[in-house]
Amino acid sequence: MIAVTRRAYFCAGHRYWRNDWSAEKNREVFGACANEHGHGHNYMLDVTLEGEVDAKTGMLINLSELDQVVQERIITRLDHRNLNMDVPELGDEIPTTEVLARFIFEQLDGAFSAGRLTRVRVFESNDLWAECRRD
Amino acid sequence: MIAVTRRAYFCAGHRYWRNDWSAEKNREVFGACANEHGHGHNYMLDVTLEGEVDAKTGMLINLSELDQVVQERIITRLDHRNLNMDVPELGDEIPTTEVLARFIFEQLDGAFSAGRLTRVRVFESNDLWAECRRD
Amino acid sequence: MIAVTRRAYFCAGHRYWRNDWSAEKNREVFGACANEHGHGHNYMLDVTLEGEVDAKTGMLINLSELDQVVQERIITRLDHRNLNMDVPELGDEIPTTEVLARFIFEQLDGAFSAGRLTRVRVFESNDLWAECRRD
Amino acid sequence: MIAVTRRAYFCAGHRYWRNDWSAEKNREVFGACANEHGHGHNYMLDVTLEGEVDAKTGMLINLSELDQVVQERIITRLDHRNLNMDVPELGDEIPTTEVLARFIFEQLDGAFSAGRLTRVRVFESNDLWAECRRD
Amino acid sequence: MIAVTRRAYFCAGHRYWRNDWSAEKNREVFGACANEHGHGHNYMLDVTLEGEVDAKTGMLINLSELDQVVQERIITRLDHRNLNMDVPELGDEIPTTEVLARFIFEQLDGAFSAGRLTRVRVFESNDLWAECRRD
Amino acid sequence: MIAVTRRAYFCAGHRYWRNDWSAEKNREVFGACANEHGHGHNYMLDVTLEGEVDAKTGMLINLSELDQVVQERIITRLDHRNLNMDVPELGDEIPTTEVLARFIFEQLDGAFSAGRLTRVRVFESNDLWAECRRD
């Protein structure tokens, strides 16, 4: 079994806050992530495809295609953006690393002409990441 | 499937040595790790939980809980410690990265109120790590 | 000459925007950093002190003091904050890496009981950093 | 389940080019990787073995054996080499990261006296890697 | 004093070889770097400018200018290239990290509309780098 | 001005403790570093030489010489060692990062046939390092 993983980068702002909760409850559950004016992170994104290696090119997928899809579907939409306000699909969801991983998996699934998307990893920092894997 | 991984750090000393072996055999099997006065490392620890994302919080588990458990059960016990002398549960075991990974998995298993511990990775250096996974 | 450097971390949000400029000019000069709802970064901060090593402790400065000062004067004020809105001293300044480095140098200068602050480095990402040095 | 992973390093040159394709097609498919005089990378190699931990040594495999096998079978053959010209087994294959991962897996499979090779990861850069896994 | 540093990346191939030396002498002085078909590296380049921070923009230099100059003068010329064959200015020089640092400094010096180039660092790997500084 | 820096690695154990102080004072000044059985770190060492680039070799100093000197004078003496017990020159000094940087500078100064040692940096972790520079 062969898999290839491509890493990409974006920076974004966010805040953890629920309007249907009191300020006290928001603070209790979300801690400093509930701070009024938000904050942000340098995110890293690892996209993993599995599949067959083309005997002619030695490639599972051409990286120029992989890069273009990730750029168009993810980076241009999230980079230098506010995740609470600039990503309508997230609706009222709290933009945690887990939620982002699932969102990005859904955006990328089915978008490649070769290989099969099996895993998306999103790193919020060096010390925290979430992954969404196909079962 | 969603997984979240948290990285933590500790530094510790250790030595590889068996009293029931000759000095020659200790040296042959353990090399410089058998040096008389021990040495040490900056360890990194990656703790991975899998589970469901809570729709209200966007979280698989609240990081404040995850951090507190890892701090109490692992970091306060191993950080700035000597693994041969300060961790009774290890008994006479050689404190290799493999043994540490299994020990930490056992200490953390069942300790979280949400998610399921599926993997512990311990890095002794950038170039060597061990993982303990649930089968 | 001996110097010691301590690295600390904070994450924050920001936006580059001047009210006395048109949207077009803001976009032209600041690019994606002018996006309406802001974004953010994981910052790293390196604080360097030079001085004499105390013969009794082997230390230029006790790290517990260094950590406490950096925590109180910088991390608690910038971490999980919005640099445009939560740092009054920055006034209307654009919170670039250069401006942050100078601000942090000023906040830390004179705050240590031993050693002499000679350099502050602020990394906005792995690929961009600014330093403020004493001439 | 216990796994141990060892990281090794090599640097090598390569070029993506098929003689049975026109220059235009090579350029179209391989981009800058088709440049006439080749280029190169600092590769990282992660070798993962799974198995039982020896109760006497605390080790899945003695690292001195693991290091020696990786050194002899991989590093001495690839380090400071040109992957197109210096590795006969690759024949006319394009030396992509995917092809290298499979080649290295085949070279290492069955070479260890303990543990079972389950994964080889090859990093061409921080942003691109391929893995070959046993199904 | 304020300085800003920008990191860029390129990968390239090279070989250390002097035609006016015997193969034995080349091997003795250059070791594996003299291997016949060359090899390559992932290089990192840190460009440092010092100067005044513009009060309106908070910037020492606009990063879009800095990036464009580095891209045009360095990256497009060295990335995915062979340093022995594709860089006429290097003539017969051995393309060591030291020689590259000086070459890049000369290419960038005087190219920026603000700030003053004070240092170029070239990393051949994580473990070796050279810097060219203005005296 | 050209400088070249080489990074090397060693792991070692240590403890901060003064026999002429009470346990309370040791604990107050040294914190967890005073723990009875010691601990340890993965150290990184950056050795910087400045000088002229040899026109024939493109090198400030041959890396094989640089590596050999660092290996013989530092790595073989400190790696897998206990800094309190295995380094007689340190005497009763507390083996802090500052003390190590000065010790290593003294051991390396004058040992190279080309270039001039201008800086030694010792990293105890990613977040703490000391440097010894020639004035």
Side-chain angles (χ1 to χ4, degrees), chain C:
Chain C
M1 207 290 308
I2 300 286
V4 66
T5 301
R6 186 65 162 169
R7 175 164 287 182
Y9 302 86
F10 60 95
C11 57
H14 69 176
R15 184 194 185 197
Y16 294 179
W17 184 266
R18 289 192 64 86
N19 285 323
D20 58 344
W21 283 359
S22 67
E24 291 69 26
K25 178 143 191 198
N26 274 290
R27 173 67 55 183
E28 176 198 333
V29 174
F30 296 133
C33 295
N35 283 354
E36 184 179 1
H37 301 113
H39 59 287
H41 299 285
N42 300 326
Y43 290 92
M44 296 195 300
L45 166 62
D46 291 353
V47 176
T48 300
L49 301 182
E50 300 192 358
E52 301 296 314
V53 174
D54 181 298
K56 287 242 175 231
T57 62
M59 295 173 177
L60 195 149
I61 185 173
N62 197 305
L63 283 185
S64 66
E65 177 190 341
L66 202 166
D67 287 348
Q68 190 182 4
V69 169
V70 171
Q71 183 68 29
E72 286 177 3
R73 296 201 175 201
I74 307 299
I75 305 302
T76 58
R77 299 207 48 211
L78 303 187
D79 189 38
H80 283 76
R81 299 291 173 183
N82 181 300
L83 301 175
N84 301 75
M85 296 185 231
D86 295 325
V87 190
E89 293 94 327
L90 291 181
D92 294 334
E93 285 192 273
I94 305 295
T96 60
T97 321
E98 294 94 317
V99 165
L100 267 184
R102 191 171 54 194
F103 167 73
I104 293 173
F105 192 102
E106 291 166 357
Q107 298 298 309
L108 293 178
D109 201 18
F112 302 103
S113 71
R116 178 169 173 264
L117 181 70
T118 53
R119 194 174 66 193
V120 160
R121 271 196 185 151
V122 178
F123 296 73
E124 186 187 277
S125 73
N126 288 328
D127 299 340
L128 179 64
W129 60 96
E131 91 181 29
C132 182
R133 263 200 335 259
R134 199 180 294 280
D135 274 331

Side-chain angles (χ1 to χ4, degrees), chain F residues 78-94:
Chain F
L78 302 187
D79 188 38
H80 283 77
R81 300 290 175 185
N82 181 299
L83 300 175
N84 300 75
M85 296 185 232
D86 294 327
V87 189
E89 293 93 328
L90 291 181
D92 293 334
E93 285 192 273
I94 305 295

Side-chain angles (χ1 to χ4, degrees), chain F residues 2-87:
Chain F
I2 300 285
V4 66
T5 300
R6 185 65 162 170
R7 176 164 286 183
Y9 302 85
F10 61 96
C11 56
H14 71 174
R15 185 195 184 196
Y16 294 179
W17 184 266
R18 290 192 64 87
N19 285 323
D20 58 344
W21 284 359
S22 68
E24 291 69 26
K25 177 144 191 196
N26 273 292
R27 173 66 55 182
E28 177 198 331
V29 175
F30 297 132
C33 294
N35 283 353
E36 185 180 1
H37 300 112
H39 59 286
H41 298 285
N42 300 326
Y43 290 93
M44 295 196 299
L45 165 62
D46 291 353
V47 175
T48 300
L49 302 182
E50 301 192 358
E52 301 296 314
V53 174
D54 182 297
K56 286 243 175 230
T57 64
M59 296 172 176
L60 195 148
I61 184 173
N62 196 305
L63 282 185
S64 66
E65 178 192 340
L66 202 167
D67 287 348
Q68 189 182 5
V69 169
V70 171
Q71 182 68 27
E72 287 177 1
R73 297 201 175 201
I74 307 299
I75 305 303
T76 58
R77 297 209 49 211
L78 302 187
D79 188 38
H80 283 77
R81 300 290 175 185
N82 181 299
L83 300 175
N84 300 75
M85 296 185 232
D86 294 327
V87 189

Side-chain angles (χ1 to χ4, degrees), chain A residues 57-119:
Chain A
T57 62
M59 297 173 175
L60 195 148
I61 184 174
N62 197 305
L63 283 184
S64 66
E65 178 191 340
L66 202 167
D67 287 349
Q68 189 182 4
V69 169
V70 171
Q71 182 67 30
E72 287 178 3
R73 297 203 175 200
I74 308 298
I75 305 303
T76 57
R77 299 210 46 212
L78 302 188
D79 189 39
H80 283 75
R81 299 291 173 183
N82 182 299
L83 300 175
N84 301 74
M85 297 185 232
D86 295 326
V87 189
E89 292 94 327
L90 292 181
D92 293 334
E93 286 194 273
I94 305 295
T96 61
T97 321
E98 295 94 317
V99 166
L100 267 183
R102 191 172 52 196
F103 168 72
I104 293 172
F105 192 101
E106 291 166 357
Q107 298 299 308
L108 293 178
D109 200 19
F112 302 103
S113 70
R116 179 168 172 263
L117 181 71
T118 54
R119 193 174 66 194

Side-chain angles (χ1 to χ4, degrees), chain D residues 3-64:
Chain D
V4 65
T5 301
R6 186 65 162 169
R7 175 164 287 182
Y9 302 86
F10 60 95
C11 58
H14 69 176
R15 184 194 185 198
Y16 293 178
W17 184 265
R18 289 192 64 87
N19 284 322
D20 58 344
W21 284 359
S22 67
E24 290 70 27
K25 178 143 191 199
N26 274 290
R27 172 66 56 183
E28 176 198 332
V29 175
F30 296 133
C33 295
N35 283 353
E36 184 179 1
H37 301 112
H39 59 287
H41 298 285
N42 300 325
Y43 290 92
M44 295 195 300
L45 166 62
D46 290 354
V47 176
T48 299
L49 302 182
E50 301 191 358
E52 301 297 312
V53 174
D54 181 299
K56 287 241 176 235
T57 63
M59 295 172 176
L60 195 148
I61 185 173
N62 197 304
L63 283 185
S64 66

Side-chain angles (χ1 to χ4, degrees), chain D residues 60-87:
Chain D
L60 195 148
I61 185 173
N62 197 304
L63 283 185
S64 66
E65 178 191 340
L66 201 166
D67 287 348
Q68 190 182 4
V69 169
V70 172
Q71 183 68 28
E72 287 178 1
R73 296 202 175 200
I74 307 299
I75 306 302
T76 57
R77 297 206 50 209
L78 302 188
D79 188 39
H80 282 77
R81 299 292 173 183
N82 181 299
L83 300 175
N84 301 74
M85 296 186 232
D86 295 325
V87 189

Side-chain angles (χ1 to χ4, degrees), chain A residues 18 96 98 127 129 131 133, chain B residues 1 3 5 9 56 58 60:
Chain A
R18 289 191 65 86
T96 61
E98 295 94 317
D127 299 340
W129 59 97
E131 90 181 30
R133 264 201 332 260
Chain B
M1 208 289 310
T5 300
Y9 302 86
K56 287 244 176 228
L60 194 148

